[in-house]
Amino acid sequence: MGVALTRSAQWAAAGSGSRTLEITPLNEAILKEIIIFIESFIYNHPQEARYVFVEPLEWKTDLDPSAFELGYVVSETTVTSEEADKNGQPLLFLSVPQIQVRSFGQLSRLLFIAEDTKLKEAQACIEANRNPVAKILGFDYSTTEEDSSVSNILDKITDDDDPESGVKMKVAVLLKELDLHLLNHSLKHISLEISLNPEVVKNDVELLKRFSGKGEETVLESITYTSDYEFSNGCRAPPWRQVLGEMCYVLVKPHDVETLCITCSAEGVFLNGGKIDDEGEINYERKGAIYKDLITFLKTKSAKFSEVMSKEHTRFNELQNGKDQPNETSDKKESDALPKAIDGSDKSVLEKKQINLGKSQMTKRLEPSLNWKTTVNYKGHRSSVRDTHKEKRGGKLEKSAPSVSPGKTQLACKNVSKTEDIISESSSESEEDEEPADHRQEANADLPSEYWQIQKLVKYLKGGNQIATVIALCSLKDFNLAQETCQLAIRDAGGLEVLINLLDTDEVKCKIGSLKILKEISHNSQIRRNIVDLGGLPLMVNILDSPHKSLKCLAAETIANVAKFRRARWAVRHHGGITKLVALLDCAQNSAEPAQSSLYDARDEEVARCGALALWSCSKSYANKEAIRKAGGIPLLARLLKTSHGNMLIPVVGTLQECASEENYRAAIKAERIIENLVKNLNSENEQLQEHCAMAIYQCAEDEETRDLVRLHGGLKPLASLLNNTDNKERLAAVTGAIWKCSISKENVTKFREYKAIETLVGLLTDQPEEVLVNVVGALGECCQEHENRVIVRKCGGIQPLVNLLVGINQALLVNVTKAIAACAVEPENMMIIARLDGVRLLWSLLKNPHPDVKASAAWALCPCIQNAKDAGEMVRSFVGGLELVVNLLKSDNKEVLASVCAAITNIAKDQENLAIITDHGVVPLLSKLANTNNDKLRRHLAEAISCCCMWGRNRVAFGENKAVAPLVRYLKSNDINVHRATAQALYQLSEDVDNCITIHENGAVKMLLHMVGSADEDLQEAAAGCISNIRRLALATEKARYT
């Protein structure tokens, strides 16, 4: 911890007083990691938590003595812990405002007491104790030096005469591990930070200028640079400040605060000391926190700016649309990929643009620029070269290709690059999201002879006439274009621009030759992006209207290769490509014979196959899926699915598989009777076709009707038989996924049992990749809802591998494993095996998992384990700190976590000793805080937990004092009978207290309870009658007391 605080933490300048931690994201991340370590210390290391520090950690605290309760002696200005060392000295002593802490156990409890202010307390402690390790272990064991290895520290402790040296050794190791963890965490945090660059800042300033001026509708009064001179690297700061990462200084006059002088640096944006004099000298010293961008900074400093920015959201959208940027905000799923929690929910398009530009420039290093530094405009150089080659071009071909000149190609590149930032945020898919490194061949690299031969051919391609061009294209095609060297040779020599220009000629031979080469080299991710940058996709989309079928096929196949990333998919849709590709699926009816020779013909089936291939690539975008559906693609895909050609079926099924993730598509797939053909193709010998059919069933089987159709068409037996072929892992993942989703229906589970699929699934619990395991365990979790299947899993030895999977880190796998174990634990015989394998402890440890879904699933799984375990009360108490952990989870914000924890508490509280322990941990006030909820699932389990917790001491009275009774009465208005039953039982227990009885009556519960006495549910009848009986007895006693 010493090295991390010295090397990684960011400390403010010393000034007149002691140094303090700066308010930065990195420091906050370090403090949060320390807090997590301290909070978990008391139950992860209970023995070490009692170790007494050599010297106390002392700092000024903002905690009030009244915040301390059990385990402390509290007065108006002091707090003393009941826990003391062997000399009788308290391990925690507070004399307002100074606090002294001498053990990790007390530090942990202090953080729990601090609640919302724990970050502030941790910061104050670190600032006041710059070398905490020295105070904990002694000054001889300080770890502020980087060479203080664990062995050196342990040698010192071993030589120590302290009788507690064993515990001291463990504490030292834990602190060293924390130190290494903090250093690694800091490095990861720093690597993830997105640095600003001059282009981002310039775009922000220019866009803000357009919305600045007088009037209430403007975001600012004015925004200007302090310097008008811009260096070649885009910076305006002096060179000696650029070395420090500073780029420019901006004067901003908001409507509601004084003029701000702001420094924009690679680290972020911050307020400086302002102008010193009229000559423009600036005090460069930072005067506040660092913000990630200019917008965030101004939102923090000016309430008026923040307010107007939120109102001007529409205008910013219109501005972006005016720049010919695609509007993807209507895309339901693509918009889900936008960063939502940056600075409030209403993010303007301006901020999105800034974030994207920041991401795209992460790899660019900001270098100081001097007046005499030479810069080269690479794009301009390339354009001039292309212009020179154009002048050299001659013959018939030159006249037939005027429409896409190098100048126009460069313009298309510019327009597309302007839209890239918005598009990169507008899609939900994740493949190829990162821009690959654009490495070019070095001049002195050892390159094969093919590289130089291709370079010569490209020269002939640029300068020759029509015949020379065709010959050069044929020669290029003879090379092995699958090799990256050959692909990059074409690009490096400027061949891509020529090949794309050829697509706009009238010569069919040149178009075919160009497309054949582009189809091969577009498998390279860099070249795909170059093709889009050079405006190649619109030309390919236009070729889809050609009367020549061979051209259509080649254009569609090339589009299929290029449309592997978001911007390309947007370009295809934007230029009308989706409609044209869908039309290719129906080419057998709509195509006309070309006037030219049959040399350019292709079979109608091949045209349709190429169209389906391109649609498959494009269908990874939600907007494209909608475009395919609106263009009438589903009936055509359904028709093609009836063919027997495997090459045709794979892209058709692949497209349906991608689209089936949308509910509209699933309904259309059922309407077109596609499921029957998917099931039929499961029996194909083509493994890839089987994989895609199974994946399509997996997507569609979310609907009950589809699951029934799979069964009725005989799809369950081939799925079960495919489980025996485990060599192809991709197909196995798809098949197990389809079985998982189909197993949601009980009728399907019965069929799977007949086909011996459950035994096969148990055999797949080991030595399989995680994507297979997730599906296998999910299927077993559904199957084990039935008694016969739980017995099969136990007899096949499936319990142990399921328990072994609890130590993984895959979130989806952990959720499914806990559900499967919960289903198995219903059987007492299974529960004995789970307990023997320490499965309950592993489930309990998952309550500390950071993912809410895993926490909730683990808590649900604990319920049947506690219900069916032998001597469950003692088992629960054996987990050190386990009950406190469960109670603390009641502070969660996740409704599913809260409901599951309440259900677990219901089972825990059935043991009186455990109920007493959780009462001491404050379960009553935490449950009471949850009472005002509208979630019926949480209501039910909360009411059950309250009912069980009433069985101890004065908990009934405490629930009344914590205002939990009146909200419970409102639960009786729910439409869920399970909520009624649980609530009536809770009210019956609470009504044993006089004050609660009065509250229940005053809130109108009697009328609703009287109606429930006539319910068909016997438990509800009994609880409602008992509550009414208690209220009536109180009324009679009151009336009797009045007259006597």
Side-chain angles (χ1 to χ4, degrees):
M1 190 160 67
V3 175
L5 293 177
T6 304
R7 302 293 183 188
S8 297
Q10 297 168 334
W11 295 88
S16 58
S18 59
R19 294 180 69 186
T20 59
L21 286 171
E22 292 184 347
I23 305 172
T24 64
L26 176 59
N27 281 349
E28 187 174 342
I30 292 174
L31 288 173
K32 285 181 178 178
E33 289 301 311
I34 294 174
I35 288 170
I36 292 171
F37 172 80
I38 298 297
E39 283 184 331
S40 60
F41 200 96
I42 193 170
Y43 50 83
N44 285 344
H45 314 286
Q47 185 178 2
E48 289 77 15
R50 293 192 292 272
Y51 168 75
V52 180
F53 301 162
V54 174
E55 290 187 20
L57 299 178
E58 185 173 356
W59 70 92
K60 287 185 179 180
T61 180
D62 292 333
L63 290 176
D64 191 83
S66 61
F68 295 82
E69 296 177 353
L70 295 175
Y72 298 95
V73 179
V74 182
S75 67
E76 290 186 4
T77 58
T78 62
V79 175
T80 304
S81 66
E82 295 177 355
E83 189 178 9
D85 62 10
K86 59 187 178 182
N87 298 322
Q89 294 293 323
L91 297 185
L92 182 145
F93 178 72
L94 167 63
S95 178
V96 179
Q98 291 293 128
I99 188 170
Q100 295 181 351
V101 182
R102 301 184 63 192
S103 75
F104 282 110
Q106 289 297 330
L107 274 178
S108 182
R109 292 187 182 93
L110 179 72
L111 289 177
F112 284 121
I113 292 170
E115 293 183 344
D116 296 337
T117 61
K118 62 178 67 175
L119 196 65
K120 189 175 180 182
E121 290 296 322
Q123 180 177 349
C125 178
I126 296 298
E127 289 175 350
N129 303 275
R130 290 290 303 277
N131 192 357
V133 178
K135 290 194 173 185
I136 294 170
L137 300 173
F139 282 98
D140 292 338
Y141 313 112
S142 172
T143 59
T144 55
E145 298 299 327
E146 291 188 33
D147 60 351
S148 59
S149 62
V150 175
S151 59
N152 291 339
I153 297 172
L154 297 185
D155 288 342
K156 294 178 182 179
I157 296 175
T158 306
D159 297 337
D160 201 338
D161 296 331
D162 192 341
E164 295 185 358
S165 59
V167 177
K168 196 173 185 179
M169 184 183 299
K170 291 179 181 178
V171 171
V173 172
L174 290 172
L175 290 175
K176 188 63 181 177
E177 289 176 353
L178 173 63
D179 205 10
L180 294 174
H181 172 72
L182 292 178
L183 288 170
N184 290 331
H185 187 76
S186 301
L187 288 174
K188 290 179 182 178
H189 189 278
I190 292 168
S191 66
L192 291 175
E193 287 184 348
I194 301 173
S195 300
L196 290 180
N197 59 72
E199 186 180 355
V200 173
V201 175
K202 184 176 181 179
N203 286 336
D204 280 355
V205 172
E206 293 301 321
L207 201 50
L208 285 173
K209 279 183 178 180
R210 298 184 62 177
F211 289 88
S212 298
K214 301 295 182 182
E216 295 183 356
E217 298 302 321
T218 57
V219 294
L220 299 167
E221 285 190 11
S222 65
I223 177 169
T224 57
Y225 293 107
T226 59
S227 172
D228 294 331
Y229 183 78
E230 182 178 344
F231 291 92
S232 59
N233 64 352
C235 293
R236 295 172 184 262
W240 60 89
R241 300 302 300 181
Q242 291 184 35
V243 175
L244 302 176
E246 295 179 4
M247 295 176 287
C248 65
Y249 312 99
V250 185
L251 291 174
V252 178
K253 179 62 180 75
H255 289 289
D256 53 350
V257 294
E258 294 298 322
T259 300
L260 305 172
C261 190
I262 303 167
T263 298
C264 299
S265 70
E267 289 184 348
V269 176
F270 56 85
L271 187 68
N272 58 41
K275 287 193 174 183
I276 301 174
D277 50 37
D278 296 335
E279 296 179 0
E281 290 295 326
I282 295 175
N283 179 4
Y284 298 112
E285 185 178 354
R286 181 162 61 84
K287 296 297 182 181
I290 300 176
Y291 297 85
K292 66 183 183 67
D293 56 53
L294 194 56
I295 309 298
T296 306
F297 174 87
L298 292 173
K299 279 192 170 184
T300 307
K301 298 296 181 183
S302 170
K304 179 70 174 177
F305 176 85
S306 180
E307 177 187 350
V308 176
M309 281 291 286
S310 62
K311 291 179 181 178
E312 294 295 324
H313 184 73
T314 305
R315 289 182 61 192
F316 277 105
N317 270 332
E318 292 174 355
L319 175 64
Q320 297 293 350
N321 292 337
K323 290 183 178 181
D324 192 30
Q325 292 175 330
N327 182 10
E328 297 276 355
T329 57
S330 63
D331 294 355
K332 177 183 68 176
K333 283 196 172 179
E334 295 184 7
S335 62
D336 291 341
L338 295 174
K340 296 178 180 177
I342 297 176
D343 187 28
S345 59
D346 294 326
K347 278 290 177 185
S348 68
V349 177
L350 171 63
E351 291 172 276
K352 295 175 188 172
K353 180 177 179 182
Q354 187 275 326
I355 294 166
N356 289 325
L357 286 170
K359 287 181 180 177
S360 66
Q361 301 292 334
M362 279 179 69
T363 58
K364 294 184 179 179
R365 183 177 178 183
L366 183 63
E367 297 179 354
S369 170
L370 303 176
N371 291 337
W372 55 85
K373 187 171 182 178
T374 305
T375 59
V376 178
N377 187 333
Y378 178 74
K379 289 185 178 180
H381 173 70
R382 289 285 294 272
S383 298
S384 63
V385 170
R386 278 183 278 151
D387 290 340
T388 304
H389 286 307
K390 183 185 175 185
E391 291 174 4
K392 293 180 181 178
R393 293 280 298 273
K396 182 177 178 180
L397 180 62
E398 181 186 359
K399 295 179 181 179
S400 63
S403 58
V404 182
S405 64
K408 182 173 179 180
T409 304
Q410 189 179 15
L411 179 62
C413 172
K414 184 177 179 182
N415 288 336
V416 174
S417 66
K418 285 165 63 178
T419 65
E420 178 178 3
D421 298 323
I422 298 296
I423 300 165
S424 67
E425 298 249 341
S426 65
S427 184
S428 61
E429 64 274 5
S430 59
E431 65 167 328
E432 286 199 26
D433 289 345
E434 297 299 329
E435 191 79 27
D438 189 12
H439 57 81
R440 294 181 179 268
Q441 302 291 345
E442 296 181 8
N444 59 351
D446 294 331
L447 297 172
S449 60
E450 291 88 347
Y451 183 87
W452 306 112
Q453 292 172 17
I454 289 174
Q455 295 253 334
K456 290 179 182 178
L457 283 174
V458 171
K459 290 181 181 178
Y460 290 121
L461 195 64
K462 291 178 179 180
N465 57 20
Q466 179 185 348
I467 297 175
T469 300
V470 173
I471 294 173
L473 288 172
C474 294
S475 301
L476 278 176
K477 187 69 178 66
D478 291 338
F479 284 92
N480 183 6
L481 297 180
Q483 288 184 357
E484 186 179 23
T485 303
C486 296
Q487 295 167 352
L488 297 181
I490 294 174
R491 185 198 64 178
D492 294 347
L496 278 181
E497 293 91 330
V498 181
L499 290 171
I500 290 171
N501 276 339
L502 288 174
L503 298 181
D504 201 33
T505 67
D506 295 331
E507 293 298 322
V508 178
K509 292 179 181 179
C510 292
K511 285 184 179 180
I512 289 176
S514 175
L515 282 172
K516 283 185 176 181
I517 295 170
L518 288 172
K519 185 186 78 170
E520 295 297 328
I521 66 176
S522 58
H523 289 287
N524 185 297
S525 60
Q526 297 177 37
I527 289 180
R528 282 199 286 268
R529 296 180 184 274
N530 293 144
I531 289 172
V532 176
D533 291 340
L534 294 168
L537 279 176
L539 298 174
M540 295 178 197
V541 169
N542 290 337
I543 291 174
L544 296 176
D545 291 327
S546 170
H548 304 290
K549 297 176 185 177
S550 293
L551 274 178
K552 289 181 180 180
C553 289
L554 289 169
E557 282 191 280
T558 310
I559 289 172
N561 291 339
V562 174
K564 299 289 187 183
F565 61 104
R566 297 170 180 171
R567 182 156 51 88
R569 288 190 281 269
W570 172 84
V572 174
R573 183 178 75 254
H574 184 71
H575 294 284
I578 299 297
T579 305
K580 294 178 182 180
L581 288 171
V582 170
L584 294 185
L585 303 181
D586 199 26
C587 65
Q589 297 180 6
N590 297 332
S591 62
E593 291 298 319
Q596 278 82 3
S597 167
S598 61
L599 173 67
Y600 311 123
D601 284 354
R603 295 173 57 191
D604 291 334
E605 292 84 358
E606 181 65 12
V607 176
R609 184 193 71 83
C610 295
L613 205 60
L615 287 174
W616 188 7
S617 294
C618 293
S619 62
K620 290 179 173 61
S621 158
Y622 170 75
N624 285 354
K625 292 175 188 176
E626 280 297 295
I628 294 170
R629 185 178 64 82
K630 291 176 180 177
I634 300 177
L636 295 174
L637 289 169
R639 186 191 308 165
L640 293 174
L641 197 58
K642 296 175 183 177
T643 184
S644 59
H645 301 293
N647 290 338
M648 169 75 79
L649 288 170
I650 289 173
V652 170
V653 176
T655 305
L656 288 170
Q657 165 209 323
E658 288 290 343
C659 296
S661 59
E662 302 302 319
E663 188 174 352
N664 290 338
Y665 266 93
R666 292 198 291 270
I669 285 171
K670 285 185 290 186
E672 294 291 337
R673 299 184 176 181
I674 290 176
I675 298 298
E676 180 180 356
N677 290 302
L678 291 175
V679 168
K680 184 181 82 172
N681 287 311
L682 284 174
N683 296 308
S684 167
E685 294 182 358
N686 188 312
E687 291 189 1
Q688 191 179 3
L689 179 57
Q690 290 175 337
E691 175 191 339
H692 292 303
C693 286
M695 185 59 72
I697 292 172
Y698 166 78
Q699 297 280 14
C700 295
E702 295 285 347
D703 304 317
E704 183 178 359
E705 186 180 346
T706 302
R707 295 194 292 269
D708 293 339
L709 287 173
V710 174
R711 182 179 71 256
L712 293 173
H713 291 302
L716 301 182
K717 189 169 184 178
L719 284 174
S721 64
L722 287 173
L723 285 176
N724 297 312
N725 302 321
T726 59
D727 294 334
N728 187 332
K729 299 303 180 184
E730 290 79 10
R731 184 184 63 178
L732 184 60
V735 169
T736 51
I739 291 175
W740 173 20
K741 295 302 179 182
C742 290
S743 298
I744 298 173
S745 296
K746 291 184 179 180
E747 296 85 354
N748 291 350
V749 172
T750 304
K751 286 290 184 181
F752 282 131
R753 186 165 64 246
E754 291 177 11
Y755 301 141
K756 306 293 183 182
I758 298 172
E759 292 88 340
T760 310
L761 287 170
V762 171
L764 294 174
L765 287 173
T766 53
D767 301 326
Q768 296 298 334
E770 285 188 342
E771 53 269 23
V772 174
L773 288 173
V774 170
N775 297 334
V776 170
V777 176
L780 287 174
E782 296 296 339
C783 293
C784 287
Q785 301 300 321
E786 297 182 2
H787 167 74
E788 295 87 347
N789 297 334
R790 292 193 289 267
V791 174
I792 291 173
V793 171
R794 183 179 74 251
K795 289 183 177 179
C796 292
I799 304 295
Q800 181 162 356
L802 282 174
V803 172
N804 292 342
L805 291 174
L806 288 173
V807 298
I809 58 173
N810 184 298
Q811 180 183 352
L813 180 58
L814 287 174
V815 170
N816 284 355
V817 169
T818 49
K819 287 181 179 178
I821 289 178
C824 292
V826 174
E827 300 291 327
E829 294 86 351
N830 291 354
M831 186 57 225
M832 290 175 62
I833 300 173
I834 293 170
R836 187 175 71 247
L837 295 171
D838 214 11
V840 182
R841 182 185 62 80
L842 293 173
L843 283 173
W844 216 290
S845 67
L846 289 178
L847 296 177
K848 295 182 274 187
N849 193 284
H851 299 290
D853 291 342
V854 177
K855 287 180 184 176
S857 189
W860 288 122
L862 286 173
C863 297
C865 291
I866 296 172
Q867 288 172 0
N868 297 287
K870 186 178 180 181
D871 198 8
E874 183 60 36
M875 177 189 72
V876 170
R877 285 192 295 278
S878 68
F879 304 129
V880 178
L883 292 174
E884 185 178 2
L885 174 61
V886 170
V887 173
N888 284 330
L889 284 177
L890 291 174
K891 300 173 184 177
S892 172
D893 296 327
N894 187 285
K895 292 289 190 292
E896 188 68 19
V897 172
L898 292 172
S900 61
V901 171
C902 287
I905 287 173
T906 301
N907 290 281
I908 291 170
K910 292 176 181 177
D911 181 272
Q912 288 291 296
E913 193 170 342
N914 288 340
L915 177 54
I917 294 171
I918 62 175
T919 300
D920 291 341
H921 286 310
V923 72
V924 172
L926 290 173
L927 289 174
S928 300
K929 286 181 180 179
L930 302 177
N932 289 297
T933 180
N934 296 320
N935 186 294
D936 275 347
K937 189 175 185 179
L938 177 55
R939 281 177 165 183
R940 173 190 172 185
H941 294 289
L942 175 60
E944 289 175 352
I946 290 174
S947 176
C948 290
C949 289
C950 285
M951 303 296 186
W952 177 259
R954 61 186 302 275
N955 282 0
R956 291 186 179 89
V957 179
F959 278 120
E961 292 172 349
N962 284 280
K963 311 296 183 187
V965 180
L968 278 176
V969 175
R970 294 196 290 273
Y971 292 8
L972 297 174
K973 297 178 182 178
S974 170
N975 296 322
D976 189 342
I977 192 171
N978 293 318
V979 176
H980 293 166
R981 186 192 314 111
T983 305
Q985 290 170 343
L987 293 175
Y988 170 59
Q989 292 296 333
L990 291 168
S991 64
E992 297 288 339
D993 176 67
V994 173
D995 292 331
N996 291 344
C997 231
I998 295 170
T999 304
I1000 293 169
H1001 184 271
E1002 288 177 347
N1003 283 273
V1006 174
K1007 186 175 181 180
M1008 290 182 282
L1009 289 170
L1010 282 170
H1011 176 71
M1012 292 174 187
V1013 170
S1015 170
D1017 189 307
E1018 293 184 1
D1019 293 333
L1020 176 56
Q1021 282 182 8
E1022 186 178 348
C1027 184
I1028 294 171
S1029 174
N1030 287 338
I1031 295 172
R1032 182 58 184 158
R1033 276 200 295 270
L1034 176 62
L1036 290 173
T1038 304
E1039 188 174 351
K1040 183 178 179 181
R1042 184 186 303 169
Y1043 289 107
T1044 58

